[in-house]
Amino acid sequence: MKIFNYKILTSWFQFLRILGKRYDVIFYYPQHFNRTNGENPYFLDFIATCKTHKISYLLIEEPSIESQNPRNKKALAFDMFFLKIWILRKLIPARCFSNFEKREHLVGKIINLSSLGHFRAPVYITISNSMGGVLRGINKKARIFDYQHGIINSKQPGYFFNGEATQLMRCNTKEVLVHGLGFVKPFMLVDAPYYKGKVHPIGTSSIIKPKINRGPHILVAMQIIETENRSQAWFQEQVDLLHEQFVVLEKNKAYKNRIIFIKQHPRSLQRFDMSKLFQFPFVKPYDGSDESKSIGLHVTFFSTTAFEYAAKGIPSLFLFSDLIPEGKTIFEDEYQYPYTAIRTISDWLEKIEGSDSTEIDTIMTNWYQKFYAPYDENLFLKLVNQKCLKIL
């Protein structure tokens, strides 16, 4: 583990500045959630509420050597204590505890002592289940919430394992904040006895809504990320499923004056060979031009961009197979996507041309709003046990 001394020194001086202070809420998150401006957008709503209602809070940032994202100047750098936690994990034998989280509790107790109790708070809010056991060790009576940062389904490893809540959630009595009621369902589906009353649809105002001019063209969102632990066959299956669709389009001349834009995943290295898709005259790479933003149909395997397009009333076609089943198992079965009978691009184009566009708009936006609700400030205030609830 590589640690830079100046970062340790910086975090030490920042810690000295909080001596003698106590906080109602502590936000904890890893550095890689920062954006180019150095801020973590996921907590902005919560922090604004804290400021408005004079709720004292501390924002703590966990360092990440691998991350290229900038550090947050508004957060306390956790480098010094993160190093301590890393050392304690190495020194304290795992065999002395019934599970990993029990050892984390002891680590948390030691961190609490070494920080003179300055990281004790009645409420903790984290992202990606960061430091749940350590925080529980710091304060065994606190409420610990994990806030949703991507889509959640019944196979989400941080929340579910072998048909029940994970050890991480159970041992730390963690709760979950989600973007909308639609994301509550997976928790009830897998382990209602544990999660009942612990999953809160708090909403969000940080939804990314792409600027799209509805038009005749089609966007394909690829999910080929060469650095992920996926087989070449899994990548090739995406190309093959799309190729089958394009063959039918070309044969039936269903593409007409439409263009199909292939958009690479943001983390793709663009090294996987997809040349056979570009052999069709109506297929082009996505380049961000006005023309390539004029989309009327979205095609994917299980990308979250399906929600972004639904927000604009634009439907998605999910391609799936035995090798890539998520479009069906997640979006159709769990998320109850409203259009499941339409299986090809050709059929979707026929549907779009033969239907009232208002009907599709309404169905898509209604589905989207089940999963992404506006930020509920009153619920946040209630969860952090504040008496300053706004009058409804």
Side-chain angles (χ1 to χ4, degrees):
M1 180 180 181
K2 186 178 180 182
I3 295 292
F4 295 98
N5 291 331
Y6 78 91
K7 290 293 186 183
I8 298 293
L9 192 61
T10 299
S11 68
W12 169 249
F13 283 117
Q14 287 183 330
F15 174 70
L16 291 178
R17 291 206 300 267
I18 71 168
L19 289 178
K21 297 180 181 180
R22 290 293 184 267
Y23 301 95
D24 298 317
V25 182
I26 288 180
F27 300 96
Y28 185 95
Y29 76 97
Q31 173 188 345
H32 61 256
F33 283 100
N34 289 340
R35 297 300 179 256
T36 53
N37 64 355
E39 279 196 316
N40 169 11
Y42 291 96
F43 289 153
L44 294 180
D45 289 333
F46 303 150
I47 289 173
T49 297
C50 288
K51 289 178 178 178
T52 299
H53 295 276
K54 297 183 175 13
I55 301 168
S56 61
Y57 72 91
L58 178 64
L59 183 63
I60 300 178
E61 180 180 280
E62 177 183 297
S64 174
I65 301 303
E66 293 79 16
S67 177
Q68 300 299 311
N69 295 7
R71 301 298 292 263
N72 189 344
K73 295 179 181 179
K74 298 179 181 179
L76 183 146
F78 203 58
D79 300 63
M80 177 178 66
F81 292 96
F82 189 68
L83 177 59
K84 288 183 180 180
I85 291 169
W86 182 81
I87 293 172
L88 288 169
R89 286 170 174 170
K90 295 293 183 182
L91 294 177
I92 301 173
R95 64 179 180 275
C96 297
F97 302 87
S98 58
N99 60 58
F100 177 84
E101 297 305 320
K102 295 294 184 182
R103 185 178 66 171
E104 290 288 275
H105 294 172
L106 176 58
V107 171
K109 290 177 182 177
I110 297 172
I111 294 298
N112 182 52
L113 291 172
S114 67
S115 65
L116 305 177
H118 282 79
F119 295 133
R120 285 179 62 85
V123 176
Y124 298 99
I125 300 179
T126 67
I127 300 180
S128 70
N129 271 320
S130 301
M131 290 292 173
V134 173
L135 296 175
R136 178 55 68 208
I138 291 174
N139 187 352
K140 66 179 181 180
K141 295 182 179 180
R143 294 186 80 174
I144 306 177
F145 300 94
D146 192 70
Y147 186 43
Q148 176 182 353
H149 65 280
I151 64 171
I152 298 173
N153 61 77
S154 62
K155 300 296 189 295
Q156 202 81 13
Y159 300 127
F160 313 113
F161 181 73
N162 283 347
E164 62 180 18
T166 59
Q167 191 178 86
L168 170 64
M169 300 301 292
R170 287 179 172 276
C171 286
N172 300 317
T173 324
K174 292 198 71 172
E175 303 178 57
V176 187
L177 304 175
V178 296
H179 292 157
L181 282 170
F183 288 115
V184 175
K185 184 179 177 182
F187 294 92
M188 299 302 103
L189 185 68
V190 177
D191 194 346
Y194 175 78
Y195 281 116
K196 186 176 182 180
K198 293 187 177 71
V199 184
H200 313 280
I202 202 160
T204 177
S205 64
S206 302
I207 302 168
I208 301 173
K209 295 182 179 180
K211 295 179 180 179
I212 300 170
N213 301 315
R214 186 188 309 280
H217 305 311
I218 301 164
L219 181 86
V220 176
M222 301 299 296
Q223 290 175 272
I224 295 176
I225 309 171
E226 294 88 341
T227 55
E228 284 193 349
N229 186 25
R230 298 282 192 179
S231 68
Q232 294 294 299
W234 192 85
F235 294 152
Q236 188 61 46
E237 184 76 349
Q238 294 186 42
V239 174
D240 292 343
L241 288 173
L242 282 169
H243 188 266
E244 291 175 9
Q245 295 281 330
F246 296 170
V247 167
V248 174
L249 277 175
E250 185 176 47
K251 181 180 179 180
N252 299 337
K253 304 293 183 184
Y255 58 89
K256 295 181 180 177
N257 295 319
R258 304 175 190 272
I259 300 171
I260 296 180
F261 292 100
I262 304 289
K263 185 177 183 180
Q264 299 276 11
H265 192 278
R267 296 198 306 274
S268 173
L269 301 177
Q270 300 187 29
R271 294 174 182 170
F272 190 79
D273 183 13
M274 297 193 300
S275 58
K276 78 175 191 175
L277 296 181
F278 294 99
Q279 294 174 359
F280 297 89
F282 49 85
V283 178
K284 294 182 179 180
Y286 179 87
D287 60 5
S289 64
D290 290 341
E291 184 183 41
S292 62
K293 292 178 181 177
S294 184
I295 304 300
L297 176 64
H298 172 242
V299 181
T300 188
F301 302 92
F302 54 93
S303 173
T304 56
T305 53
F307 284 113
E308 296 172 9
Y309 282 93
K312 294 289 188 178
I314 296 174
S316 294
L317 169 65
F318 296 95
L319 303 181
F320 55 84
S321 66
D322 291 341
L323 191 59
I324 308 178
E326 290 88 348
K328 176 167 175 41
T329 58
I330 295 176
F331 279 90
E332 292 192 3
D333 297 345
E334 288 190 34
Y335 296 166
Q336 297 180 320
Y337 192 76
Y339 292 105
T340 59
I342 306 175
R343 297 298 188 194
T344 68
I345 297 176
S346 296
D347 288 344
W348 251 120
L349 296 181
E350 185 177 337
K351 168 74 174 176
I352 291 171
E353 290 179 354
S355 303
D356 180 357
S357 62
T358 305
E359 173 201 339
I360 297 176
D361 276 357
T362 302
I363 291 174
M364 294 315 307
T365 53
N366 286 346
W367 176 76
Y368 167 79
Q369 288 167 0
K370 290 180 182 178
F371 292 88
Y372 292 89
Y375 168 55
D376 189 341
E377 185 176 75
N378 286 292
L379 177 56
F380 177 83
L381 292 171
K382 180 180 179 181
L383 292 175
V384 298
N385 295 317
Q386 296 300 312
K387 296 180 180 179
C388 50
L389 274 170
K390 296 194 312 185
I391 298 175
L392 298 177

